[in-house]
Amino acid sequence: MHAAIQTIEQDFEQALRQAQTRADIEAVRVGFLGRKGRVAELFSQLSALPDADKPLAGKLVNELKNRLHDQLALADARVSDQEAGRRTESSHLDITLPGIRQRRGTCHPLSIVIEEICALFVEMGFKVVEGPEIETEYYNFEALNIPLEHPSRESFDTFYVQGVHLLRSHTSPVQVRVLEKEKPPIQIVVPGRVYRPDATDASHSFMFHQIEGLLIDEGISFAHLKSVLSVFAKKLFGSQTSIRFRPHFFPFTEPSAEVDVSCIICRGKGCRVCKQSGWLEVLGSGMVHPQVLAAGNIDPEKYSGFAFGMGVERIAMLKYGVDDIRLFFENDTRFIRQFS
Ligand code: 2U9
């Protein structure tokens, strides 16, 4: 039995030395440790031994089996490593090459401006509110004192979706919804997308962004409106910035005014951007019309308030010196990446 064990072990070691692949090793395993392999054959010969020799012989064969098993595992690991190495060489992978840099994204310039403007109003106590882009005629027009046959409805030209549903032409319907739900004091700013069927050119887009504000409380006057917008203009465009009000008409405010800021390029001296006037029109504003308050279930005898609105694209174009609104919407990352 000793001699048989020695022969098997020598044959095994020789076979294993010649094994190059995992398949070769598997063949060695089957030949020696398989069900009909050389070790199984030894086990079957045990029964022919005298009873007294059986325990020792059995122990020796068992120990042989364990040694072969361990060596097979080691050889398998060695060949697996070699195979992986060969695969790596054949795919020409050079693990010393520098990695591919993942470029980080940047904020869209309009998002930067929206966040900056909202943050300035939040500092003054305003809350940021958003609402639906698909609206009804009631919230987009009627509640805002823009009746069906009124010519002013044309200046809010609208995309209709179906029946009374439309793409909002301003963010004002959101303020109406807040008036309906909440009691004064109300102090909100509303950023969002709005839609108007304008022909596209360097300064018009059928979709653009507005930020509108609304403040309602007892005893609110035009003086409050002037001071809030003056602080806003100085914070956004610089402390030397001044504002002026020009009378205007909006159906939802009375009195209404357009608001200019002193030109941020020439500081009021006159240049190409302000068309030599020294002023840039950036805001609309006014005292909320009593009928609009009433539509929102707010008592116009007790409460008053002001509202204002601005176009985000116009402000971003002035701030960054962009001369074509379409650049904001073309998804050209060479343009969009410049503003972070
Ligand atoms: C309610 C009451 C009043 C919203 C207002 C403006 C003035 C305004 C435009 C300027 C250029 C938007 O981007 S733009 O087209 N907006 O001038 N908007 S007051 O007044 C409201 C809104 C809601 C309940």
Side-chain angles (χ1 to χ4, degrees):
M1 189 53 77
H2 276 295
I5 288 176
Q6 218 172 12
T7 308
I8 290 179
E9 197 147 18
Q10 280 166 0
D11 292 351
F12 173 82
E13 280 167 4
Q14 196 187 352
L16 208 53
R17 267 197 301 276
Q18 287 167 0
Q20 301 282 338
T21 64
R22 297 187 69 193
D24 294 344
I25 289 172
E26 177 59 12
V28 175
R29 191 192 66 75
V30 172
F32 287 84
L33 293 182
R35 246 178 347 110
K36 294 179 182 165
R38 303 268 298 272
V39 174
E41 202 180 316
L42 266 191
F43 272 119
S44 67
Q45 289 165 13
L46 287 177
S47 57
L49 291 177
D51 281 351
D53 295 343
K54 278 182 185 166
L56 177 62
K59 184 168 172 273
L60 291 175
V61 179
N62 250 328
E63 284 171 357
L64 170 70
K65 188 186 86 179
N66 291 338
R67 281 199 303 280
L68 301 196
H69 187 272
D70 291 348
Q71 287 198 53
L72 278 167
L74 282 174
D76 194 66
R78 170 175 55 81
V79 169
S80 295
D81 283 353
Q82 285 169 353
E83 282 186 1
R86 274 199 295 279
R87 271 202 303 278
T88 307
E89 277 167 30
S90 67
S91 68
H92 303 289
L93 176 71
D94 180 351
I95 59 169
T96 66
L97 280 174
I100 299 166
R101 184 187 290 272
Q102 296 296 314
R103 294 178 80 193
R104 288 180 65 185
T106 55
C107 262
H108 192 284
L110 295 177
S111 303
I112 296 173
V113 171
I114 289 170
E115 286 196 12
E116 185 180 354
I117 292 174
C118 287
L120 295 181
F121 283 108
V122 165
E123 254 184 80
M124 290 190 265
F126 288 76
K127 200 171 76 174
V128 180
V129 181
E130 290 175 298
E133 290 177 25
I134 294 181
E135 268 295 357
T136 61
E137 286 185 313
Y138 176 77
Y139 285 108
N140 198 74
F141 294 124
E142 266 112 284
L144 288 154
N145 200 29
I146 316 174
L148 191 56
E149 299 309 325
H150 199 279
S152 69
R153 194 121 155 190
E154 276 165 32
S155 58
F156 299 90
D157 256 2
T158 311
F159 284 115
Y160 278 82
V161 180
Q162 216 171 41
V164 296
H165 287 100
L166 46 80
L167 293 179
R168 68 183 181 191
S169 56
H170 44 188
T171 57
S172 313
V174 182
Q175 289 95 292
V176 177
R177 290 174 182 279
V178 172
L179 286 181
E180 279 180 349
K181 269 206 314 250
E182 291 176 23
K183 287 265 146 285
I186 289 167
Q187 193 178 356
I188 56 172
V189 277
V190 183
R193 290 193 187 106
V194 302
Y195 303 84
R196 293 181 192 178
D198 290 330
T200 304
D201 62 24
S203 50
H204 293 87
S205 164
F206 60 84
M207 185 279 295
F208 62 102
H209 296 74
Q210 286 187 335
I211 297 177
E212 291 190 329
L214 178 70
L215 189 150
I216 311 285
D217 204 349
E218 287 180 59
I220 298 299
S221 73
F222 207 95
H224 296 109
L225 167 61
K226 286 180 84 170
S227 68
V228 165
L229 292 186
S230 171
V231 169
F232 163 69
K234 287 183 199 305
K235 288 201 172 186
L236 186 65
F237 295 118
S239 55
Q240 303 114 305
T241 312
S242 47
I243 57 173
R244 72 174 186 185
F245 287 76
R246 282 177 292 104
H248 193 71
F249 171 80
F250 293 116
F252 30 76
T253 47
E254 179 60 35
S256 307
E258 283 190 324
V259 186
D260 300 338
V261 297
S262 50
C263 179
I264 59 174
I265 311 291
C266 64
R267 296 261 154 245
K269 291 190 193 69
C271 69
R272 199 175 56 85
V273 174
C274 62
K275 300 198 183 83
Q276 310 305 329
S277 73
W279 295 95
L280 299 167
E281 184 199 322
V282 292
L283 289 147
S285 68
M287 301 306 293
V288 178
H289 197 290
Q291 243 151 278
V292 174
L293 288 177
N297 295 325
I298 305 278
D299 180 1
E301 297 293 325
K302 186 168 178 202
Y303 295 106
S304 58
F306 62 80
F308 55 86
M310 67 192 95
V312 176
E313 282 76 1
R314 169 139 175 87
I315 291 183
M317 288 169 83
L318 288 169
K319 212 172 146 63
Y320 294 127
V322 174
D323 61 6
D324 193 322
I325 196 171
R326 290 169 288 201
L327 286 163
F328 291 122
F329 306 119
E330 283 169 349
N331 273 343
D332 184 341
T333 53
R334 291 169 305 179
F335 171 75
I336 288 174
R337 295 188 76 88
Q338 297 177 78
F339 303 93
S340 51

